[in-house]
Amino acid sequence: MNPLENLAVGMAAEKVVIVGPEMTVGHVVPGMPAVYATPTMVLHMEMAAGLAAQPSLPIGYVSVGMMVNIRHLAATPVGRTVRTLARIVGLEDKRILFEVEAWDGKRKIGDGTHWRGVVNLVEFEKRFGVQPPRAEPATV
């Protein structure tokens, strides 16, 4: 089975957030400004990419981040709405290439590319000794 068979170039999704104090570089690094942090922007871009792929993956498969090449173009203060977008631009073996962007209103604040790998979650977790959660026995 090819886990990418239901994916297509052009599929896209977005994630919209309101920048809170916990999303700022100043929250993590004392003395830095209280503006939207680059790692947080990258996380939101990755989340948008995951949203674009997940509905078309087979049951039991997920996509995981592999590589990011991102530019952070402008600062965004607390309280502003940020919209991150991800669009599939390539499919290769078990990997998906996305173009990603972040917008603060009409202003582009970030862009780049992001690769995600597609894995069978159970097999992936077995490699690390992670046990799936057990269902609690029913109580009567």
Side-chain angles (χ1 to χ4, degrees), residues 13-69:
E14 66 179 44
K15 173 138 183 84
V16 178
V17 298
I18 297 173
V19 176
E22 72 286 356
M23 297 178 188
T24 67
V25 66
H27 178 75
V28 180
V29 181
M32 293 297 288
V35 294
Y36 191 48
T38 302
T40 306
M41 181 183 73
V42 170
L43 171 64
H44 293 145
M45 289 172 161
E46 286 202 49
M47 292 171 81
L51 290 169
Q54 193 60 47
S56 298
L57 293 177
I59 293 171
Y61 283 78
V62 296
S63 67
V64 295
M66 296 175 61
M67 185 172 81
V68 292
N69 181 11

Side-chain angles (χ1 to χ4, degrees), residues 38-103:
T38 302
T40 306
M41 181 183 73
V42 170
L43 171 64
H44 293 145
M45 289 172 161
E46 286 202 49
M47 292 171 81
L51 290 169
Q54 193 60 47
S56 298
L57 293 177
I59 293 171
Y61 283 78
V62 296
S63 67
V64 295
M66 296 175 61
M67 185 172 81
V68 292
N69 181 11
I70 305 298
R71 299 183 311 158
H72 197 163
L73 303 170
T76 300
V78 171
R80 294 295 300 263
T81 299
V82 170
R83 183 171 55 104
T84 54
L85 308 161
R87 183 173 56 87
I88 296 174
V89 294
L91 300 164
E92 178 181 300
D93 298 322
K94 291 185 179 180
R95 301 185 311 158
I96 309 165
L97 177 61
F98 295 87
E99 283 184 351
V100 292
E101 298 177 343
W103 293 81

